[in-house]
Amino acid sequence: MGFSERLKLLRRNADVTQDQLAQYLQVSRSTIAGYETKNRQPDYDKLYMIAQFFHVSTDYLISGKESHPVEVSSSGPAINERIIQYQLKTVFMSLSPKSKQDLLEYANLLALRDRQ
């Protein structure tokens, strides 16, 4: 099994779409499709991001071998949580300083509500 098959297996086991992974990596869906069909290879930064996303090592993605056991989680909520965190970070970085302050105040209100 090569990189393309391992990526597809990890993605499907985690119940993540090509679109979701593409959004996280900031690439197009067709780039992910290319990774999964052997037409494309990710650069080092994208390979590292893929490894982080699926909680595996880059060694595992490339060779299928791990120096330490890796637990591949198929937990959809954990994957969705990382996608949401990424989306929040992306939106936050595009806001004006005033909007960032407003968002922080709103987030504090939400945190207060969740504690009750």
Side-chain angles (χ1 to χ4, degrees), residues 77-89:
I79 298 294
N80 289 336
E81 181 72 21
R82 287 195 299 278
I83 292 170
I84 290 169
Q85 288 174 3
Y86 171 77
Q87 290 172 332
L88 282 170
K89 179 182 173 186

Side-chain angles (χ1 to χ4, degrees):
M1 179 184 306
F3 167 77
S4 60
E5 293 89 3
R6 270 188 291 285
L7 176 60
K8 185 183 267 186
L9 182 65
L10 284 168
R11 187 180 58 73
R12 286 184 174 171
N13 285 345
D15 197 27
V16 173
T17 66
Q18 287 182 342
D19 284 323
Q20 289 171 318
L21 183 57
Q23 186 174 12
Y24 176 78
L25 296 175
Q26 294 183 309
V27 298
S28 67
R29 189 209 55 78
S30 63
T31 297
I32 302 301
Y35 292 167
E36 292 182 358
T37 60
K38 302 181 185 179
N39 292 337
R40 296 182 116 165
Q41 296 293 316
D43 63 22
Y44 176 78
D45 291 334
K46 297 300 184 209
L47 184 68
Y48 180 77
M49 289 176 72
I50 292 167
Q52 293 298 304
F53 188 83
F54 290 112
H55 296 289
V56 298
S57 70
T58 54
D59 286 346
Y60 173 77
L61 289 173
I62 295 168
S63 69
K65 297 178 183 171
E66 268 303 337
S67 55
H68 303 289
V70 171
E71 181 179 317
V72 178
S73 171
S74 61
S75 170
I79 298 294
N80 289 336
E81 181 72 21
R82 287 195 299 278
I83 292 170
I84 290 169
Q85 288 174 3
Y86 171 77
Q87 290 172 332
L88 282 170
K89 179 182 173 186
T90 301
V91 168
F92 181 81
M93 297 306 290
S94 70
L95 296 175
S96 70
K98 172 69 174 122
S99 292
K100 286 178 182 178
Q101 184 61 41
D102 291 346
L103 180 60
L104 178 60
E105 290 172 13
Y106 184 68
N108 285 327
L109 287 172
L110 291 174
L112 182 62
R113 182 187 71 183
D114 286 349
R115 281 186 236 136
Q116 297 176 354

